[in-house]
Amino acid sequence: MHPSPRPIWYALVVAVLTVGLIQAIPGSAARPQRGQVPSSSTESTNWGAEGETAIIDGASRGRRFDGVGALSAGGSSRLLYDYPARQRGQILDYLFKPGYGAALQMLKVEIGSDVNSTSGSELTHQRTNGEVDCGRGYEWWLMKQAKRRNPDITLSALAWGAPGWARGDDGTPDGGFYSQLTIGFYLSWLKCAERHGLHIDYLGGWNERGYDTQWYVRLARALDRHYPYVDVVAADDCCSAKLWRVADSMAEDRAFKEAVDVVGVHFACGHRSEYTDCASTPTARELGEPLWMSENAAGSRDVGAAPIARALNRMYIDARMSSYTSWSLISAWYANLPIADSGLMVAEWPWSGFYDVGKSIWANAHTTQFTEPGWHYLDTGSGRLDSGATYTSLVSPSGHDFSTIVEGMDIARPTTVRFDLENLPQAELQVWSSDLRSGTHKDGELFRHEGAITPRGGSYELEVEPGHLYSVSTRTDAGKGDALPSSDVHEQLELPYEEDFEGEGRSEELARYFSDVNGAFEIVSCGGGRAGRCYRQQTPEQPVTWNDSGFLPPTTVVGDPRWWGDYTARAKVLLDGADYAEVIGRVSSQVTGTENVVGGYHLRVGTDGWSLYSVDPGTRRRIELASGEAAIDPHEWHRVALRMRGDRLTALLDGTRIARVHDARHLQGNVALQTGKWGHAQFDDVGVTPTATAPRTIPKDQLSVQASSDHGFYQGDSLRASNAIDDRPETVWQTEFDPLARPPHTLTLDLHRPRQINGLLVRPRIDGSTTAMITDYRLQTSRDGKTFRTVASGTWSRSSSTKAVVLDRRRTARYVRLAAPAGGCGEDPASLSEVDVIARPGPSLTTTLPEDTGGPDDPRFDHVVPQSEMSATATSSYGPGYEACRAIDGGDPTTFWHTSPAATGPLPASLTLDLGREHDVNGLGYLPRQDGNANGTISDYNVYVSTDGTNFQKVVEAGTWPNGAARKYATWPAARARYLRLEATNGVADVASVADLEVAEQMSGGQDSDQR
């Protein structure tokens, strides 16, 4: 029988009551024999059925400990800057104040360049060559706040991009970053740091974009001349095989090695994983330089805690790495921008002051509050135990203080560990513990002081519980902050919202609650003869980019992502050199790699006319809704407004209606402003005014939820059912990946008493993925939780926009269930971001119907056969995950059908669609795979149709498509068909792949034929 879990006080009692027993056992039997320390630093033995022993030898000093920190970059701290002073101070205390919270020992920041670098862009200090403004941005403020709380904190920096003027012209494929001009850019940033009274300790190169050895040599020489106190970190590289190549280069290049002071790599324990194993190379360990985890993904503020606890121990045990930096410091960007909730804390509600102290704060505290940079790891004192627990020990330079951090994330049952101390003070030891499995900040299970123990006979015992983290230390100055926000997560930014950019704030350039996605918007004196201050896009040219979003139009987002979309978004606009400006409403999310970075309704006005269009980040589709040739005067101010009420959209220019359309692709979200690439458009009097009463929903804190299945951990996030009612759009519920978790998938809400309900709102995941989105649904109700009745059913398009089910009459129910009968391939999982139970629908809400998402440039694709009515078969398939049905899974560009390898199944190959019933079809839209790999892109093809599935008629013979990832089309005179077959006769690498197929249906007239 396994022993039952025991409270921590049991271990303390054992340590005292068994002193005599420990002293009576001969040394040779009580502890393992001393010997050569293995290279893995693992030294442990079992000394009983339930016990293990580890030696901690103060004379076995290993590498110098350089500290634990976090990274502010990519717009990650933007909204923290706008928090009310009291709550902002509390958050900063949790991050930086010694003996209080995370007590971070290092802060790393981005050297801004006005370009998107994950979840936003950071302002640059040097927008043009020769111009320097040391006041721009909030990273200076953040570093000062960190220094105010911890004067000894280490500061470091590196760049994700560079201003366009610093781009080199040597024609190298690095985008021109590694130029002499960027070294000058770095030096001017360091000069700004000096003016702010900040001493920068470490400087890196180009984040995760490889390295140029000679550039680092030139950088080191420049630093030696101007800033000799700044050390160089190289190369902030990442990802699998490339991870430690910088160490190989240093071993081969003496000048490069002498230029580099620290070897810094990213994700040496994996990327957004459980961080069970870390790795370095013999070459890296033998360089004689410090090895740092100069960035590691934090994961979500709670689920990321256990991986951090593992990594902080295992980075040294496995890889001899001596410093750890998490991205991000704090998740303080809008929930509908990429990778939200990736930080040690969350603070994305500046209007209310609410914040969330995550478990990750305390995972860090167990190391940072009991060590200091300059301490040393003990090689005999750091290792893995047979139970799966790990431990690291560190000692102060004087040898008077030492600490051991023990983590039991992976042990199956409690284990008692006896620690035998050698060459260390026999001092009283403080014990702190955290239950990272179930503890919360409020319930006292995190970072709890358990008392003190005194080693007797040179030993003490600790009972390690599964999922627990412990610190045992001579230090007595640890502590736990107790500040809590006075508001809650449900408090939204109130409407109407107005911003005239005239109010005095903490910053001369940043407007409150505006978060730049790309480019740089700042408060300046208005142009065009207008008095007062306005918001102007300032970046004059395309910067050197870090990711695909760096090529996107300058965009800034404002408002609560949870806003109901019945509102008018308006602004006054002056083009000021830009070719167009946009007001965007009902912003769903933002993703990288698309021309239009922001999902929602875009109203564009410019020098070549105007347009109103929809963008969905999930399907990457742009749908034109209305347009006109009337251009605006680029030298005059104009009033632009987008009025939305239900599915009625009205575009207004200078008070005149220019378009009225009906569309229901987007229902909720905040607002954005966008400009033509690198023009200086100006905005003023930005406002958001309600046009109708929002639906009334049952408060989420009055609900509980159960699911047919959910997923506990995936790529740094929790996918639990509770995420569906946490009022946080960035969190996701998803069913278990196990194939046994088959449809129908269900999510059941308990209202805790019978209530009158009128329907359901469902917000799909907004991370840019359409995986597991619910397309077929049933809405069911119950009074007793046992017998459920279906009250509505239907089909939704696979898109990122909120969906609605409005009942024909109000019903009484205690339980409301959303059932997903099947995904695009029958066995797919189900997911969603948020679900709300409608108490009253308001005046404009109706059930969301499937969208008609035809081709953008051919009227024959104005009507397509719904993919939800189709099924697909193929002559060959690469295997699970690449089935024929992936080509008709609702427009998901991240999945695709792929034929067998060319060696076993060369072309030709065919994909046959059963349309469910007969249609008059006259076109086919083909989207190749969108993952950047061209293999399978079809170049030569035939198209066949059939009414019976046996006899096929060829309607396109020897068609050709150009190479590339863009959507391609084939059309023919309308033909009656239930079955359609695409035969690929030639494709890249002699294989075929299809991410999406759409079939055009003729509704009236039209017999033209065309192949494109």
Side-chain angles (χ1 to χ4, degrees):
M1 295 180 62
H2 300 315
S4 59
R6 301 163 180 158
I8 187 67
W9 56 260
Y10 176 88
L12 308 183
V13 172
V14 169
V16 176
L17 296 182
T18 60
V19 169
L21 176 61
I22 294 175
Q23 291 177 324
I25 300 175
S28 59
R31 60 181 66 166
Q33 294 294 318
R34 292 292 308 280
Q36 183 67 32
V37 179
S39 60
S40 67
S41 190
T42 300
E43 184 156 347
S44 64
T45 61
N46 289 330
W47 57 275
E50 301 171 13
E52 303 178 273
T53 299
I55 296 173
I56 305 175
D57 185 354
S60 65
R61 295 195 179 198
R63 294 185 177 236
R64 181 186 187 274
F65 172 67
D66 294 315
V68 174
L71 172 61
S72 174
S76 62
S77 303
R78 172 65 190 93
L79 296 181
L80 173 61
Y81 190 68
D82 288 339
Y83 260 69
R86 181 171 65 87
Q87 290 92 337
R88 190 176 69 242
Q90 293 170 350
I91 294 167
L92 292 165
D93 285 348
Y94 274 118
L95 294 170
F96 299 115
K97 186 177 179 180
Y100 190 87
L104 295 174
Q105 300 156 332
M106 307 177 73
L107 172 61
K108 185 175 180 179
V109 301
E110 177 180 354
I111 300 174
S113 55
D114 290 356
V115 72
N116 183 283
S117 49
T118 296
S119 304
S121 55
E122 303 269 356
L123 298 182
T124 182
H125 68 288
Q126 193 171 8
R127 195 156 284 141
T128 60
N129 197 3
E131 172 264 1
V132 175
D133 184 342
C134 296
R136 290 193 191 116
Y138 46 82
E139 299 295 1
W140 310 114
W141 164 83
L142 182 62
M143 287 188 282
K144 290 177 183 177
Q145 293 296 321
K147 275 285 188 182
R148 181 179 300 173
R149 288 160 173 80
N150 178 7
D152 296 325
I153 197 168
T154 299
L155 298 178
S156 62
L158 83 164
W160 271 245
W165 65 263
R167 181 183 290 108
D169 58 1
D170 55 6
T172 56
D174 58 26
F177 180 90
Y178 289 116
S179 69
Q180 190 64 36
L181 292 172
T182 55
I183 292 177
F185 173 65
Y186 270 37
L187 295 179
S188 67
W189 187 86
L190 290 171
K191 185 66 174 178
C192 283
E194 281 191 339
R195 291 178 181 175
H196 282 283
L198 296 167
H199 177 109
I200 304 301
D201 301 285
Y202 296 95
L203 198 65
W206 193 12
N207 183 71
E208 296 178 1
R209 287 299 179 267
Y211 54 94
D212 181 315
T213 59
Q214 293 306 305
W215 184 88
Y216 276 93
V217 171
R218 296 196 303 271
L219 174 66
R221 290 172 181 167
L223 292 175
D224 286 342
R225 289 193 300 271
H226 301 285
Y227 302 98
Y229 56 83
V230 179
D231 286 339
V232 173
V233 180
D236 285 287
D237 215 351
C238 79
C239 311
S240 62
K242 299 188 297 183
L243 192 61
W244 291 100
R245 60 181 177 172
V246 64
D248 298 333
S249 297
M250 290 173 65
E252 297 167 357
D253 187 335
R254 181 182 180 89
F256 182 39
K257 182 178 185 300
E258 290 177 350
V260 175
D261 301 290
V262 173
V263 180
V265 301
H266 297 185
F267 319 135
C269 305
H271 181 251
R272 296 184 71 88
S273 70
E274 298 275 13
Y275 303 154
T276 56
D277 300 285
C278 306
S280 60
T281 64
T283 300
R285 294 192 294 272
E286 293 165 6
L287 282 174
E289 304 288 354
L291 307 181
W292 286 8
M293 192 99 69
S294 53
E295 181 183 333
N296 208 43
S300 66
R301 84 283 182 207
D302 279 343
V303 178
I308 288 173
R310 293 186 188 94
L312 286 175
N313 273 9
R314 301 178 194 195
M315 69 171 185
Y316 188 77
I317 296 168
D318 295 349
R320 286 299 188 263
M321 304 183 78
S322 58
S323 179
Y324 187 93
T325 297
S326 292
W327 184 88
S328 67
L329 170 74
I330 187 165
S331 182
W333 62 94
Y334 283 122
N336 54 350
L337 297 181
I339 329 179
D341 193 21
S342 293
L344 308 184
M345 291 178 65
V346 184
E348 58 192 36
W349 310 273
W351 46 83
S352 70
F354 179 74
Y355 58 87
D356 192 346
V357 183
K359 297 180 185 179
S360 295
I361 288 288
W362 308 114
N364 280 269
H366 273 279
T367 295
T368 58
Q369 291 207 31
F370 304 99
T371 62
E372 291 181 13
W375 285 35
H376 281 262
Y377 285 99
L378 297 178
D379 287 346
T380 303
S382 303
R384 293 176 179 262
L385 297 168
D386 291 342
S387 62
T390 72
Y391 62 101
T392 53
S393 300
L394 300 95
V395 66
S396 66
S398 68
H400 294 153
D401 283 305
F402 68 95
S403 301
T404 298
I405 298 93
V406 184
E407 62 91 1
M409 299 304 110
D410 301 322
I411 63 176
R413 60 184 64 88
T415 182
T416 301
V417 183
R418 188 178 71 200
F419 291 97
D420 294 339
L421 307 180
E422 297 183 358
N423 301 307
L424 290 168
Q426 301 298 298
E428 184 178 74
L429 301 173
Q430 305 298 316
V431 180
W432 291 73
S433 76
S434 290
D435 180 359
L436 297 183
R437 298 173 305 175
S438 58
T440 69
H441 180 60
K442 297 179 181 179
D443 66 11
E445 294 300 313
L446 296 174
F447 209 64
R448 183 172 67 183
H449 187 214
E450 303 290 359
I453 55 176
T454 301
R456 301 295 175 86
S459 300
Y460 70 89
E461 290 184 0
L462 182 72
E463 179 151 327
V464 180
E465 298 275 355
H468 282 61
L469 181 61
Y470 304 88
S471 298
V472 183
S473 178
T474 58
R475 296 192 64 161
T476 59
D477 54 352
K480 182 178 181 180
D482 57 3
L484 292 172
S486 57
S487 57
D488 63 42
V489 69
H490 307 295
E491 187 174 328
Q492 291 191 13
L493 178 60
E494 292 185 356
L495 291 178
Y497 167 82
E498 306 284 344
E499 177 58 75
D500 62 7
F501 308 107
E502 301 296 337
E504 295 298 327
R506 295 183 307 280
S507 166
E508 294 181 356
E509 72 278 342
L510 295 177
R512 190 179 298 271
Y513 307 154
F514 281 77
S515 182
D516 295 348
V517 174
N518 201 30
F521 293 75
E522 298 181 13
I523 299 175
V524 300
S525 296
C526 296
R530 186 177 182 81
R533 300 198 297 172
C534 298
Y535 217 38
R536 184 176 191 256
Q537 200 294 118
Q538 296 284 73
T539 309
E541 61 180 314
Q542 170 69 61
V544 177
T545 67
W546 177 74
N547 63 10
D548 289 339
S549 283
F551 294 104
L552 298 165
T555 306
T556 188
V557 180
V558 64
D560 196 321
R562 301 168 297 182
W563 273 344
W564 187 247
D566 286 345
Y567 58 71
T568 296
R570 67 182 189 280
K572 294 174 182 174
V573 173
L574 175 70
L575 290 186
D576 194 12
D579 54 356
Y580 69 82
E582 292 188 357
V583 174
I584 311 172
R586 295 183 179 176
V587 172
S588 55
S589 62
Q590 178 253 324
V591 297
T592 62
T594 59
E595 180 184 355
N596 298 285
V597 63
V598 174
Y601 291 117
H602 294 235
L603 175 55
R604 173 181 294 189
V605 296
T607 56
D608 60 353
W610 63 269
S611 64
L612 175 62
Y613 62 95
S614 165
V615 174
D616 182 74
T619 59
R620 275 70 162 175
R621 296 296 300 272
R622 169 177 168 162
I623 306 297
E624 194 84 15
L625 302 176
S627 62
E629 297 181 356
I632 64 172
D633 188 326
H635 307 293
E636 295 183 357
W637 283 89
H638 299 272
R639 291 175 289 133
V640 180
L642 176 59
R643 181 184 300 153
M644 296 163 286
R645 181 185 171 102
D647 67 349
R648 289 176 290 171
L649 311 179
T650 304
L652 300 104
L653 178 61
D654 293 326
T656 300
R657 188 180 76 200
I658 56 176
R660 175 176 287 175
V661 299
H662 289 266
D663 192 88
R665 287 180 174 86
H666 309 282
L667 293 181
Q668 70 178 132
N670 46 8
V671 171
L673 308 174
Q674 189 175 95
T675 74
K677 287 192 176 179
W678 317 116
H680 296 297
Q682 297 184 36
F683 300 87
D684 199 7
D685 292 343
V686 176
V688 184
T689 306
T691 58
T693 304
R696 184 164 64 85
T697 59
I698 297 176
K700 290 184 177 177
D701 56 7
Q702 298 177 20
L703 308 176
S704 58
V705 64
Q706 288 187 331
S708 54
S709 71
D710 60 11
H711 202 75
F713 181 92
Y714 181 68
Q715 295 184 349
D717 291 315
S718 161
L719 302 179
R720 294 298 188 192
S722 57
N723 291 342
I725 57 170
D726 63 0
D727 215 9
R728 300 182 56 183
E730 72 272 29
T731 63
V732 173
W733 161 64
Q734 183 160 312
T735 52
E736 180 58 66
F737 297 154
D738 190 325
L740 296 178
R742 294 174 178 171
H745 304 299
T746 60
L747 188 76
T748 305
L749 303 170
D750 184 353
L751 315 184
H752 295 287
R753 61 180 174 84
R755 300 184 188 228
Q756 294 287 306
I757 68 164
N758 220 143
L760 204 66
L761 294 175
V762 176
R763 188 164 191 168
R765 60 191 307 164
I766 57 172
D767 58 0
S769 171
T770 59
T771 299
M773 279 189 179
I774 297 172
T775 54
D776 298 308
Y777 70 88
R778 292 196 298 264
L779 178 61
Q780 302 171 329
T781 61
S782 173
R783 292 175 178 265
D784 59 7
K786 299 177 181 179
T787 303
F788 283 84
R789 177 186 178 189
T790 297
V791 294
S793 63
T795 301
W796 291 321
S797 298
R798 190 183 297 265
S799 69
S800 302
S801 60
T802 297
K803 311 299 192 301
V805 183
V806 180
L807 300 179
D808 55 359
R809 59 182 176 82
R810 301 184 76 191
R811 286 171 169 80
T812 301
R814 172 174 170 173
Y815 299 90
V816 178
R817 173 174 291 173
L818 176 67
C825 283
E827 302 296 334
D828 285 350
S831 71
L832 56 82
S833 166
E834 290 292 311
V835 62
D836 284 276
V837 179
I838 301 171
R840 292 188 182 276
S844 61
L845 185 63
T846 59
T847 295
T848 304
L849 300 176
E851 299 155 14
D852 185 356
T853 56
D857 54 5
D858 192 308
R860 282 166 292 192
F861 284 83
D862 287 344
H863 298 280
V864 295
V865 179
Q867 290 183 345
S868 60
E869 298 177 5
M870 302 181 188
S871 60
T873 56
T875 54
S876 75
S877 173
Y878 195 81
Y882 302 97
E883 303 92 342
C885 59
R886 303 294 170 181
I888 55 168
D889 56 359
D892 184 355
T894 64
T895 64
F896 52 90
W897 163 65
H898 195 291
T899 59
S900 301
T904 58
L907 299 181
S910 64
L911 182 72
T912 302
L913 305 181
D914 180 348
L915 309 182
R917 59 184 175 85
E918 290 188 1
H919 298 263
D920 291 320
V921 298
N922 63 346
L924 180 71
Y926 160 56
L927 183 70
R929 61 193 292 182
Q930 299 291 296
D931 61 352
N933 187 334
N935 287 352
T937 300
I938 299 170
S939 57
D940 299 275
Y941 64 94
N942 300 307
V943 180
Y944 305 81
V945 296
S946 170
T947 57
D948 59 9
T950 302
N951 301 297
F952 282 84
Q953 171 193 358
K954 186 181 290 186
V955 291
V956 175
E957 183 173 7
T960 61
W961 282 318
N963 199 6
R967 190 177 291 267
K968 304 163 178 48
Y969 300 94
T971 59
W972 56 85
R976 194 70 176 170
R978 171 170 174 167
Y979 301 89
L980 184 144
R981 176 173 294 165
L982 172 64
E983 180 184 41
T985 57
N986 191 22
V988 177
D990 200 25
V991 291
S993 63
V994 177
D996 184 58
L997 278 183
E998 58 184 9
V999 179
E1001 177 182 14
Q1002 178 177 301
M1003 303 303 289
S1004 61
Q1007 293 291 319
D1008 297 335
S1009 177
D1010 180 35
Q1011 297 174 22
R1012 289 171 286 131

